[in-house]
Amino acid sequence: MGLKVVGVGLGRTGTYSLKVALNQLGLGPTYHMEEIILDMQRKLPQWQAVVAGNSDWVAIFEGYTAAVDWPTASYYRELHAAYPDAQFILTHRNPESWVDSFSATIYQLLSNIDEAPEPMRPWLELVIAVIAKAGIPLGLGRQRLMDAFAAHNAAVEAAIPPDRLLAFQVKEGWQPLCGFLDVPVPDGLFPRTNDRGEFWDKVAGAA
């Protein structure tokens, strides 16, 4: 099957909304960090192997035709090499609003790893490693987070050929996404989901 669409925007840039949108367009099933949370026993070791330098993309994405969010976004170079014919989508947003959202959700969660339930810690350690690969180690201040966000987006745009890459904000709605993917624009509003409250609900599923 193989991946046809790869989201390479960092978490908290509308990646879950993009997942829902791709599925609605018939381009899924779409892989997201949530997939690991829902099948920790099988999928966590696959990504631990990736972090250790032993990636098996075929096994990881078996049954999926699209992937978004972390861990995927940190491996855009490797996934472009593995799936050169895929279409890549760089979700982004205002850097200051991204830092606000990221700091109040993912970064807060990772910074409190010592307080997390023991069964949850291997997953959190994976997330820390994956996010560090994207240039975001623990302990960065606000300006350095904004700089890291901008650096990731610039690196993606330098690595992926322009004809295979769409820079996209979910607030733009269906039109640019459907035009890039060459699919009809569906009826109804573009999905907007995974606000901060929903994020913490999903995290609770990993405990």
Side-chain angles (χ1 to χ4, degrees):
M1 185 180 293
L3 294 180
K4 304 298 183 186
V5 182
V6 181
V8 290
L10 300 183
R12 310 310 299 171
T13 59
T15 56
Y16 201 87
S17 296
L18 179 60
K19 170 188 172 173
V20 174
L22 292 173
N23 288 347
Q24 187 174 332
L25 292 171
L27 298 173
T30 303
Y31 198 104
H32 180 277
M33 178 66 82
E34 185 181 40
E35 308 301 303
I36 303 174
I37 294 173
L38 295 175
D39 189 5
M40 200 82 78
Q41 186 172 357
R42 187 166 68 93
K43 293 180 177 174
L44 179 59
Q46 292 177 329
W47 282 102
Q48 289 171 327
V50 172
V51 170
N54 302 304
S55 56
D56 186 345
W57 304 123
V58 172
I60 288 172
F61 296 116
E62 181 181 4
Y64 296 89
T65 50
V68 301
D69 196 55
W70 275 310
T72 297
S74 290
Y75 291 88
Y76 60 90
R77 290 188 180 90
E78 294 88 341
L79 291 172
H80 179 250
Y83 302 100
D85 295 328
Q87 293 168 289
F88 289 76
I89 300 170
L90 176 63
T91 46
H92 64 100
R93 64 190 290 184
N94 173 275
E96 292 192 356
S97 70
W98 176 79
V99 170
D100 290 340
S101 179
F102 177 72
S103 297
T105 53
I106 298 169
Y107 221 34
Q108 179 180 329
L109 174 68
L110 300 179
S111 298
N112 296 328
I113 186 172
D114 291 341
E115 302 171 15
E118 190 65 39
M120 194 177 176
R121 292 185 189 180
W123 172 66
L124 291 175
E125 289 166 357
L126 170 76
V127 178
I128 288 170
V130 164
I131 290 177
K133 179 175 170 57
I136 308 173
L138 294 181
L140 298 186
R142 185 176 182 83
Q143 184 58 54
R144 291 184 66 192
L145 282 172
M146 287 193 288
D147 291 346
F149 180 68
H152 170 82
N153 293 345
V156 168
E157 292 182 328
I160 310 298
D163 63 327
R164 310 306 301 177
L165 179 67
L166 171 69
F168 175 64
Q169 296 192 48
V170 293
K171 68 181 182 180
E172 297 177 86
W174 287 114
Q175 196 68 50
L177 179 66
C178 293
F180 176 69
L181 297 173
D182 195 24
V183 295
V185 175
D187 295 330
L189 297 175
F190 191 90
R192 298 297 299 271
T193 186
N194 201 26
D195 61 21
R196 296 180 196 183
E198 290 176 272
F199 169 86
W200 289 111
D201 288 343
K202 288 182 174 67
V203 165

